[in-house]
Amino acid sequence: ETGVTQSPTHLIKTRGQQVTLRCSSQSGHNTVSWYQQALGQGPQFIFQYYREEENGRGNFPPRFSGLQFPNYSSELNVNALELDDSALYLCASSSQGASGANVLTFGAGSRLTVL
Amino acid sequence: AQSVSQHNHHVILSEAASLELGCNYSYGGTVNLFWYVQYPGQHLQLLLKYFSGDPLVKGIKGFEAEFIKSKFSFNLRKPSVQWSDTAEYFCAVNALLRGNKLVFGAGTILRVKS
């Protein structure tokens, strides 16, 4: 089975720009979650998508948005980038539905640097 | 708000030493508990999980963890570490009545000296 793949692996943006990060979920998984991992910290939950709809959101502003597609892949969009958005963005997929226990399979992440 | 505390940010051990990494969480309801590991240059991987039943759970590579509900703890243990256990370890909690998110601790970096 294929794992979770993310692209791009690294990217550099400047303040005010917009970025789109992409994620392909593991085969058989229908739920995608996005996490932000700043340097020296644990991952923080951004949001989760199930059946192409947002299904739970963490403490992130509206300029963080996402999409899930019919093939369960997903995008994370961040508008009006700020320096503090520099982090590793992790995508995780799971086969659970809108509720219930989550056993997440993580991708390698996209490292975003905002200058 | 839910929080997860990992007691040590850096741990250095010699091979064959015993390991215990502490994890405490702040939520009083029903929880699912996880330990994830990130080996150098690799992505986060599930080490073990607790959903219900026997509070002593066994994971991969000889790791185990004990859920003590009264102490809100889920400590990770291994009787004898190997150099290949060098990695960063994250405790994570899913509070079942508060949605599907995992709340992670800040992580513990373990270095095993050969």
Side-chain angles (χ1 to χ4, degrees):
Chain A
E1 61 184 12
T2 57
V4 177
T5 58
Q6 294 186 242
S7 63
T9 55
H10 296 82
L11 70 167
I12 300 173
K13 294 284 188 177
T14 57
R15 274 187 306 174
Q17 286 188 312
Q18 178 265 345
V19 68
T20 297
L21 308 178
R22 296 178 175 83
C23 172
S24 294
S25 59
Q26 180 170 301
S27 176
H29 287 182
N30 59 7
T31 303
V32 173
S33 304
W34 287 91
Y35 287 78
Q36 181 196 67
Q37 186 176 15
L39 203 60
Q41 298 181 23
Q44 288 194 57
F45 177 73
I46 303 174
F47 41 55
Q48 183 183 81
Y49 278 83
Y50 171 67
R51 291 185 175 175
E52 302 177 49
E53 292 191 0
E54 189 178 287
N55 178 43
R57 188 180 183 94
N59 190 26
F60 282 82
R63 58 189 184 84
F64 285 77
S65 63
L67 288 172
Q68 186 183 31
F69 301 98
N71 66 354
Y72 308 123
S73 67
S74 178
E75 285 182 355
L76 164 65
N77 299 289
V78 188
N79 294 322
L81 284 167
E82 300 176 0
L83 295 179
D84 285 349
D85 295 333
S86 295
L88 182 68
Y89 288 85
L90 297 170
C91 174
S93 70
S94 58
S95 60
Q96 299 300 322
S99 62
N102 279 291
V103 179
L104 303 181
T105 300
F106 282 88
S110 294
R111 184 163 298 282
L112 170 65
T113 301
V114 182
L115 302 177
Chain B
Q2 303 165 63
S3 66
V4 177
S5 298
Q6 292 186 235
H7 305 166
N8 307 97
H9 195 54
H10 285 91
V11 173
I12 301 174
L13 294 173
S14 298
E15 277 193 308
S18 64
L19 170 72
E20 181 160 2
L21 301 182
C23 172
N24 287 89
Y25 62 93
S26 65
Y27 181 66
T30 302
V31 293
N32 293 322
L33 300 160
F34 306 82
W35 278 95
Y36 279 86
V37 60
Q38 187 166 29
Y39 297 102
Q42 298 187 28
H43 56 274
L44 276 170
Q45 303 171 42
L46 181 68
L47 196 57
L48 48 78
K49 63 185 186 295
Y50 172 81
F51 288 169
S52 64
D54 188 345
L56 184 63
V57 293
K58 296 190 183 299
I60 59 172
K61 303 186 179 184
F63 285 90
E64 65 179 31
E66 185 176 13
F67 170 47
I68 303 179
K69 189 174 181 180
S70 61
K71 294 185 178 180
F72 301 94
S73 70
F74 190 55
N75 292 354
L76 180 70
R77 300 194 292 249
K78 185 171 183 178
S80 175
V81 295
Q82 301 173 313
W83 177 81
S84 58
D85 293 325
T86 294
E88 188 162 15
Y89 293 81
F90 293 93
C91 180
V93 176
N94 171 219
L96 294 183
L97 294 182
R98 293 196 180 177
N100 301 309
K101 67 177 181 180
L102 287 187
V103 178
F104 283 84
T108 297
I109 297 171
L110 171 66
R111 185 164 82 90
V112 180
K113 299 184 295 184
S114 57

